[in-house]
Amino acid sequence: MAQPFLKKDDDHDDEVDYSPFLGIEKGAVLQEARVFNDPQLDPRRCSQVITKLLYLLNQGETFTKVEATEVFFAVTKLFQSRDLGLRRMVYVIIKELSPSADEVIIVTSSLMKDMTSKTDMYRANAIRVLCQITDGTLLTQIERYLKQAIVDKNPVVASAALVSGIHLLQTNPEIVKRWSNEVQEAVQSRAALVQFHALALLHQIRQNDRLAVNKLVSSLTRGSVRSPLAQCLLIRYTSQVTRESASNTQTGDRPFYDFLEGCLRHKAEMVIFEAARAITELNGVTSRELTPAITVLQLFLSSTKPVLRFAAVRTLNKVAMTHPIAVTNCNIDMESLISDQNRSIATLAITTLLKTGNESSVDRLMKQITTFMSDIADEFKIVVIEAIRSLCLKFPLKHRSLMNFLSNILREEGGFEYKKAIVDSIVILIRDIPEAKESGLLHLCEFIEDCEFTYLSTQILHFLGIEGPKTSDPSKYIRYIYNRVHLENATVRAGAVSTLAKFGAMVDSLKPRIFVLLRRCLFDTDDEVRDRATLYLKTLGADGAVEDMKEFLFGSLDIPLVNLERSLKNYEPSEESFDINSVPKEVKIQPLAEKKAPGKKPTGLGGPPPAPPSTIDAYEKLLSSIPEFANFGKLFKSSAPVELTEAETEYAVNVVKHIFDGHVVFQYNCTNTIPEQLLENVTVIVDASEAEEFAEVASKPLRSLPYDSPGQTFVAFEKPEGVPAVGKFSNMLRFIVKEVDPSTGEAEDDGVEDEYQLEELEVVAADYMLKVGVSNFRNAWESMGPDCERVDEYDLGPRENLAEAVNAVINLLGMQPCEGTEVVPSNSRSHTCLLSGVYIGNVKVLVRLQFGIDGPKDVAMKLAVRSEDEAVSDAIHEIVASG
Amino acid sequence: MLLAILISNFAGNILLERFNGVPSEERLHWRTFLVKLGADNLKGARNEELFVSSQKSVYIVYTVLGGVCIYIIGKDEYDELALTEVMFVITSSIKDACGKSPSERLFLDKYGKICLCLDEIVWKGILENTEKDRIKRLIGLKPPNPTEI
């Protein structure tokens, strides 16, 4: 009878709104932790203190090394207590404290004792804690116990050992790989979770052995897997095996498809979904194969569980990119999801519908989206905007309604990213759909009348300056632009002045009026605005060549801004003025192919990648510091490192090709991966008999190459000046090897001369091409003019698909793809790719490639080249003809 | 990999968090992101109603349990459905530890026990136990019932 009253009291307590940790303070808790040292331990009190420590750690509180170590030492005393609850807490706090404490090794003996204890639960927990604090040496000592634990009859112990194995594989792979047999046995365990953990570990152990994974999958797909989680893993591994073996099958029967299809009838939703997704992701999946998977996903669309609806619509969204017709059957279910409470689901449904819908359904969809847009967050809106942009490019005839939609939402409230997505979409539509140009420009003009984002205003003004003068009535934009000069901040005003100048330069009839407006800007309060106005008045008013003026106003800055910024920062004011031609033009900075630092794995959370090191500068500095190469002149290009050895060989060597006008320098980056060896006097003997135009002129050996400390050796060749000579070079690494005593690290005095064969290396035409992009290809193409244009057609023969052909030509020429044209939509029958670059001798080159593919997959290509020198245009054709 | 488990109160204060394989400089971003996600969507949500979202290549499943909000982030094999499984284990274990869906106060009262539960459920980003009854025994260092195996 007392129970209800007690419960009521509990409830009453709950309502008191204070935290048991109210006013908790690290110093005080550390003081309290002294109870761990009491001769008579109070388990309850100790547990409370540990809870407080856990709370502090979970609140992001950090302990100094000294504090953590002190607590850690005190905690080890608690192993004396026989209280089970306290012991469990001790295991947790040791794991939490170990990363920040020194001397964690002091708990080893206590843990080793627990690990061999008769109490199963001590064993399981001790294994987990030991694995957290272990190093290679300790691991070798406890390996025997861990192997026994993997096949322990108690599933908790087995799971603890297996999960430890998964973690230890990252740090001590060679030890964990020795447990294969035990793990294999655990895969057959009757305990579902043991099977799940064992399968995950076994796959990780064998992941680089394709045959072994194939065997594993074959045997398990025939047997029974107990846990749905393990079954999901199996489906993933099966799907991986299928993907890798698909290219080997000639018969058309896909291995393991029946297994995947069978999983669609599994009782666990998780397994059904995994199988459906695996089927949709099969390479070249056919409609027949897709149908059963789409059917189950369609059923999930109307599930009461939001997670299932989300999973299904997310997968269908992906399928819609490659097989829109297969997803059309789900359109009705998907339309009902537009009103789903979960906005992620609604957004995915909308974007899928936009991909699968036909031209006639566009208007209806847009109506639904209009109501939907008002109650979703900006991040979802951006996804929708991007889908609408693709839809408009797919159905250009619908540009009016889609453009109206974009302009309407542009007027509504929204953050910068959202507005930017809309503006970007309008700009792309204007560029790609000529009929949409005038209305699009007007929408943009209206937007800048009330735009709170300086960046967007200036971008639009810049765009107006390029596109506005080419319209039928350029004068109608002037009012919007000139309004900016009155109403906006200095940055926008300066942008508006530049735009006005562009109108003046392009439209003669407007020139006098533009002059009047520009003159008014001479009285602006901001010096940048005044300077620009003065400059443009002078440029436009000068009698010089019109072409020069247009080049000045419209010409793209053909050097990357980041390079310009760096050069300007390095420039020291002196008599000699800054030379813009000294700025390097290479767009992509190739990172040095150094050995990756161990333990630095990508986090997978999409965090920003670290900025690439400025290797071009580094190369230039390095080469100019070597006297033999100092007189080679300016470095034109450095290639990406080319591997000359297989992965995981004794010596890892890659080469960087440095191209000068009359020379080529090979920089061999060498790494010695054998701890017991020291290499000295390392050189590369290059045989250039298949590179007739090259003559070796210098070689710089590497004096010493200790273990795991990369070094470089160089070989330089002379070649005819300015000529894109090509050739093949075979390489032999020659060195003196000395034995090293691993305990002392000292090398023996005497060494033996040895050689090591490296892969061949080629200097190809692409090495003479710099990847330099242009911001607007059409403008660049038109301004280059047809004088040095060379056009020809080529038959590229049978290819797997268009994308492969496009990639092959891009790689052959080594040029920079522009405006994302290197991406070929799947199943395309034709494609245009735009490339830009600078050829040796600093000659700008633009290339327009038009591809077409016919039934038997024969690819034909039309190549149009424009450059500043017809000999270069011819050279590009020669490269393609001989490639 | 289970990248994070985060439990907060309705005001967005973090009560408990466990990150795995997430660099410390990215954690603040995730805390802010999750708390905002909860503020936008969990208002008026039913107890234990599941919410799901994805951000780049990771999945997020979150819910309300009594007076606390629980968020789980996973990637690769821990997709939205696997996370649902994890969420189910977490919510049922917390209810078990607290005797009911906890208020914030009750959650903090049972903080130590809940930490132990989470330690049994997820270890360094890998799901280890999925049965609440087994977890209940394990946190008391009692072996699982043979029938549960």
Side-chain angles (χ1 to χ4, degrees):
Chain A
M1 282 302 285
Q3 194 67 17
F5 288 109
L6 267 176
K7 191 158 173 16
K8 203 171 179 185
D9 281 352
D10 274 355
D11 280 346
H12 183 71
D13 268 358
D14 289 351
E15 285 155 25
V16 180
D17 194 20
Y18 73 89
S19 156
F21 300 112
L22 193 70
I24 188 169
E25 205 258 319
K26 185 175 83 173
V29 179
L30 289 175
Q31 288 281 336
E32 283 185 65
R34 292 185 177 172
V35 295
F36 300 160
N37 294 317
D38 284 353
Q40 288 297 315
L41 285 172
D42 176 354
R44 194 158 172 272
R45 177 99 187 85
C46 292
S47 290
Q48 279 169 351
V49 177
I50 292 178
T51 306
K52 285 183 185 175
L53 287 166
L54 286 172
Y55 180 79
L56 286 172
L57 286 166
N58 276 320
Q59 290 291 305
E61 184 72 77
T62 49
F63 291 0
T64 63
K65 276 258 179 242
V66 177
E67 288 167 348
T69 311
E70 209 164 281
V71 178
F72 199 82
F73 267 87
V75 164
T76 55
K77 307 262 172 65
L78 301 181
F79 275 101
Q80 293 164 17
S81 167
R82 298 221 160 259
D83 185 274
L84 290 180
L86 178 60
R87 177 65 64 91
R88 185 65 189 83
M89 289 298 259
V90 169
Y91 291 131
V92 176
I93 194 70
I94 289 178
K95 281 194 280 186
E96 294 289 328
L97 284 174
S98 63
S100 45
D102 281 332
E103 312 288 341
V104 287
I105 215 73
I106 56 146
V107 286
T108 317
S109 60
S110 306
L111 290 171
M112 295 272 268
K113 207 171 130 202
D114 279 1
M115 199 172 158
T116 48
S117 155
K118 281 182 185 153
T119 314
D120 286 348
M121 291 303 99
Y122 281 10
R123 289 217 305 279
N125 281 290
I127 287 172
R128 299 201 298 177
V129 183
L130 267 172
C131 288
Q132 169 111 356
I133 62 170
T134 192
D135 58 13
T137 335
L138 178 62
L139 187 58
T140 328
Q141 286 178 41
I142 60 170
E143 187 186 356
R144 187 161 58 95
Y145 301 109
L146 287 173
K147 279 164 92 169
Q148 281 171 10
I150 289 172
V151 287
D152 198 290
K153 63 179 188 305
N154 186 324
V156 180
V157 178
S159 272
L162 287 164
V163 179
S164 301
I166 294 173
H167 295 309
L168 290 168
L169 196 62
Q170 314 299 324
T171 49
N172 295 285
E174 58 300 324
I175 295 178
V176 180
K177 280 178 185 169
R178 296 202 290 250
W179 309 347
S180 250
N181 289 340
E182 287 77 11
V183 182
Q184 175 88 50
E185 198 180 322
V187 170
Q188 307 301 333
S189 166
R190 281 179 56 241
L193 276 172
V194 173
Q195 198 178 39
F196 167 57
H197 293 134
L199 180 58
L201 178 56
L202 194 59
H203 179 260
Q204 282 193 27
I205 291 175
R206 295 181 175 171
Q207 62 184 343
N208 293 326
D209 183 350
R210 199 186 287 184
L211 194 68
V213 175
N214 208 327
K215 264 188 182 169
L216 173 71
V217 167
S218 301
S219 67
L220 287 176
T221 48
R222 281 196 299 271
S224 66
V225 176
R226 283 176 188 83
S227 134
L229 285 164
Q231 185 81 353
C232 285
L233 281 187
L234 183 59
I235 291 172
R236 277 177 183 248
Y237 304 153
T238 308
S239 154
Q240 183 194 341
V241 169
T242 315
R243 261 199 303 275
E244 283 165 2
S245 59
S247 53
N248 302 331
T249 23
Q250 302 293 323
T251 54
D253 274 354
R254 201 186 287 276
F256 303 116
Y257 177 78
D258 290 342
F259 166 72
L260 293 178
E261 209 255 335
C263 289
L264 294 176
R265 291 183 288 279
H266 198 277
K267 58 180 188 297
E269 285 155 342
M270 192 196 292
V271 176
I272 300 174
F273 172 69
E274 197 64 51
R277 186 163 57 186
I279 291 175
T280 62
E281 286 172 0
L282 291 173
N283 282 341
V285 62
T286 62
S287 309
R288 195 173 58 84
E289 288 170 327
L290 261 182
T291 310
I294 301 283
T295 310
V296 297
L297 290 172
Q298 188 175 4
L299 284 174
F300 281 175
L301 285 180
S302 41
S303 162
T304 50
K305 299 178 184 168
V307 175
L308 278 184
R309 296 200 299 276
F310 178 82
V313 76
R314 190 169 64 82
T315 309
L316 289 169
N317 187 294
K318 272 195 193 157
V319 180
M321 288 183 200
T322 47
H323 297 83
I325 298 178
V327 184
T328 349
N329 283 344
C330 311
N331 278 5
I332 296 175
D333 302 271
M334 214 111 58
E335 281 192 34
S336 61
L337 291 183
I338 296 177
S339 51
D340 199 293
Q341 274 192 328
N342 185 318
R343 302 285 75 184
S344 298
I345 296 176
T347 312
L348 282 166
I350 282 271
T351 49
T352 314
L353 283 166
L354 289 174
K355 283 173 202 156
T356 56
N358 50 29
E359 197 156 358
S360 58
S361 64
V362 168
D363 291 325
R364 188 164 48 88
L365 265 178
M366 297 314 293
K367 212 170 172 182
Q368 280 176 297
I369 295 174
T370 312
T371 47
F372 161 83
M373 288 294 269
S374 55
D375 52 32
I376 57 170
D378 274 9
E379 61 192 278
F380 295 129
K381 286 180 183 168
I382 293 171
V383 181
V384 176
I385 300 293
E386 281 161 3
I388 287 176
R389 181 203 304 165
S390 313
L391 184 74
C392 193
L393 293 173
K394 194 165 141 196
F395 303 123
L397 286 177
K398 287 286 170 192
H399 74 85
R400 206 174 299 278
S401 63
L402 293 168
M403 191 66 103
N404 277 340
F405 173 80
L406 290 174
S407 76
N408 282 338
I409 53 173
L410 196 53
R411 285 192 209 109
E412 286 163 15
E413 286 294 303
F416 171 73
E417 292 296 335
Y418 172 48
K419 291 286 167 94
K420 183 172 176 295
I422 304 173
V423 170
D424 286 348
S425 297
I426 294 181
V427 166
I428 288 170
L429 298 186
I430 291 174
R431 275 201 186 137
D432 287 24
I433 308 171
E435 300 78 37
K437 189 187 222 177
E438 303 241 341
S439 63
L441 286 178
L442 273 178
H443 290 315
L444 291 178
C445 281
E446 276 166 24
F447 173 59
I448 54 172
E449 289 278 73
D450 187 23
C451 172
E452 56 183 311
F453 305 109
T454 301
Y455 175 85
L456 290 181
S457 292
T458 50
Q459 291 288 304
I460 292 172
L461 284 168
H462 173 74
F463 185 67
L464 270 174
I466 294 167
E467 297 295 338
K470 297 181 205 158
T471 55
S472 55
D473 182 12
S475 64
K476 67 180 171 194
Y477 304 107
I478 301 294
R479 178 171 64 88
Y480 296 102
I481 300 165
Y482 189 63
N483 277 349
R484 308 279 68 72
V485 178
H486 287 297
L487 304 169
E488 303 284 356
N489 60 40
T491 313
V492 180
R493 293 205 302 275
V497 168
S498 299
T499 307
L500 285 174
K502 285 176 185 165
F503 274 79
M506 293 291 282
V507 189
D508 281 340
S509 59
L510 287 178
K511 206 168 176 179
R513 286 150 70 187
I514 295 288
F515 263 79
V516 174
L517 297 177
L518 285 177
R519 277 198 204 101
R520 288 191 191 169
C521 301
L522 292 172
F523 303 103
D524 195 279
T525 51
D526 184 80
D527 53 356
E528 170 74 21
V529 180
R530 289 196 307 273
D531 286 354
R532 282 197 191 194
T534 313
L535 175 70
Y536 293 134
L537 279 169
K538 191 127 183 156
T539 322
L540 292 175
D543 298 328
V546 177
E547 283 310 314
D548 285 352
M549 179 183 66
K550 284 187 181 164
E551 173 61 28
F552 174 66
L553 280 169
F554 293 97
S556 59
L557 187 65
D558 58 357
I559 41 178
L561 282 178
V562 56
N563 294 5
L564 179 61
E565 185 188 359
R566 197 171 44 242
S567 298
L568 281 169
K569 276 183 182 163
N570 291 341
Y571 171 71
E572 282 170 19
S574 65
E575 290 289 301
E576 202 178 327
S577 57
F578 178 76
D579 179 10
I580 200 159
N581 292 322
S582 67
V583 181
K585 292 182 175 175
E586 184 76 58
V587 174
K588 267 193 189 159
I589 296 170
Q590 306 289 358
L592 283 168
E594 279 174 4
K595 201 172 174 185
K596 276 186 189 163
K600 276 200 168 178
K601 295 245 159 112
T603 62
L605 266 179
S614 164
T615 46
I616 293 294
D617 274 3
Y619 284 147
E620 241 177 341
K621 261 187 202 154
L622 177 71
L623 292 170
S624 60
S625 69
I626 300 169
E628 289 93 326
F629 313 143
N631 59 351
F632 286 178
K634 191 163 166 47
L635 176 64
F636 174 73
K637 179 181 178 177
S638 298
S639 75
V642 181
E643 295 297 335
L644 297 182
T645 50
E646 301 272 327
E648 296 177 16
T649 49
E650 301 96 305
Y651 313 113
V653 180
N654 65 50
V655 62
V656 178
K657 297 174 270 184
H658 300 293
I659 310 288
F660 293 85
D661 214 25
H663 295 85
V664 173
V665 176
F666 296 147
Q667 173 188 332
Y668 296 91
N669 300 313
C670 313
T671 311
N672 166 16
T673 63
I674 308 175
E676 297 82 15
Q677 284 190 0
L678 167 71
L679 308 189
E680 285 187 349
N681 214 5
V682 183
T683 52
V684 177
I685 309 299
V686 185
D687 174 6
S689 53
E690 288 183 69
E692 287 167 0
E693 291 179 275
F694 294 82
E696 187 171 326
V697 289
S699 167
K700 188 175 182 302
L702 173 61
R703 216 163 51 79
S704 158
L705 185 64
Y707 162 65
D708 206 21
S709 162
Q712 294 108 19
T713 165
F714 300 83
V715 182
F717 288 85
E718 196 171 29
K719 68 167 193 62
E721 197 119 328
V723 173
V726 294
K728 214 179 252 183
F729 302 81
S730 51
N731 307 290
M732 176 78 81
L733 191 69
R734 186 173 290 170
F735 46 82
I736 293 166
V737 57
K738 289 183 174 177
E739 295 289 316
V740 174
D741 183 346
S743 55
T744 62
E746 278 176 23
E748 285 177 7
D749 292 340
D750 297 326
V752 188
E753 192 171 88
D754 202 356
E755 288 181 344
Y756 189 81
Q757 184 66 49
L758 304 175
E759 305 265 328
E760 281 189 344
L761 155 73
E762 272 191 275
V763 171
V764 293
D767 289 325
Y768 297 99
M769 182 71 80
L770 277 181
K771 284 186 173 181
V772 178
V774 287
S775 52
N776 183 334
F777 188 88
R778 194 191 288 181
N779 276 356
W781 181 263
E782 279 165 14
S783 61
M784 186 84 83
D787 301 344
C788 301
E789 182 172 318
R790 292 286 183 277
V791 185
D792 208 346
E793 289 180 5
Y794 297 86
D795 180 6
L796 303 185
R799 300 274 170 165
E800 189 64 32
N801 53 36
L802 263 190
E804 188 218 325
V806 172
N807 270 336
V809 180
I810 293 175
N811 290 337
L812 180 66
L813 292 175
M815 297 177 75
Q816 176 72 36
C818 302
E819 298 172 13
T821 53
E822 73 275 26
V823 182
V824 184
S826 59
N827 301 331
S828 289
R829 313 295 300 168
S830 64
H831 184 71
T832 300
C833 178
L834 310 171
L835 305 176
S836 136
V838 170
Y839 200 53
I840 191 159
N842 272 337
V843 183
K844 271 191 219 166
V845 187
L846 296 172
V847 163
R848 182 175 271 176
L849 301 163
Q850 284 166 298
F851 294 85
I853 191 164
D854 68 4
K857 299 208 165 174
D858 264 331
V859 176
M861 176 182 79
K862 184 178 173 187
L863 166 66
V865 185
R866 285 188 180 185
S867 76
E868 293 164 335
D869 181 347
E870 55 190 312
V872 171
S873 300
D874 287 333
I876 303 295
H877 275 281
E878 265 170 43
I879 295 170
V880 174
S882 57
Chain B
M1 173 78 98
L2 274 163
L3 296 167
I5 295 173
L6 193 138
I7 304 178
S8 75
N9 63 9
F10 282 126
N13 302 315
I14 311 293
L15 303 176
L16 197 160
E17 65 177 23
R18 296 178 79 87
F19 282 102
N20 306 290
V22 181
S24 40
E25 62 273 16
E26 281 179 30
R27 293 181 185 182
L28 178 63
H29 157 78
W30 281 103
R31 275 179 211 122
T32 323
F33 175 79
L34 293 179
V35 167
K36 184 175 179 303
L37 196 68
D40 289 345
N41 298 292
L42 290 179
K43 206 173 172 188
R46 291 193 309 278
N47 200 32
E48 292 188 62
E49 182 183 357
L50 278 188
F51 289 78
V52 58
S53 178
S54 65
Q55 165 90 342
K56 292 176 186 160
S57 58
V58 306
Y59 310 99
I60 303 147
V61 169
Y62 54 111
T63 193
V64 170
L65 181 70
V68 299
C69 311
I70 308 174
Y71 307 85
I72 316 177
I73 310 176
K75 69 172 210 178
D76 297 334
E77 66 267 40
Y78 291 97
D79 60 11
E80 59 273 64
L81 292 181
L83 291 185
T84 309
E85 187 85 6
V86 180
M87 182 63 92
F88 179 72
V89 188
I90 292 177
T91 49
S92 45
S93 296
I94 294 180
K95 280 192 290 182
D96 215 34
C98 301
K100 59 178 176 176
S101 288
S103 61
E104 182 186 343
R105 166 69 205 273
L106 185 56
F107 181 91
L108 291 171
D109 276 344
K110 303 288 179 189
Y111 198 82
K113 224 176 183 183
I114 292 168
C115 285
L116 293 182
C117 289
L118 287 181
D119 190 52
E120 291 292 351
I121 296 168
V122 181
W123 183 42
K124 283 170 86 175
I126 295 178
L127 176 63
E128 210 175 340
N129 281 300
T130 52
E131 293 289 328
K132 76 174 169 72
D133 293 330
R134 181 199 270 208
I135 292 162
K136 192 176 178 182
R137 294 183 66 82
L138 293 183
I139 63 170
L141 280 182
K142 292 178 193 129
N145 282 327
T147 47
E148 285 170 32
I149 297 168

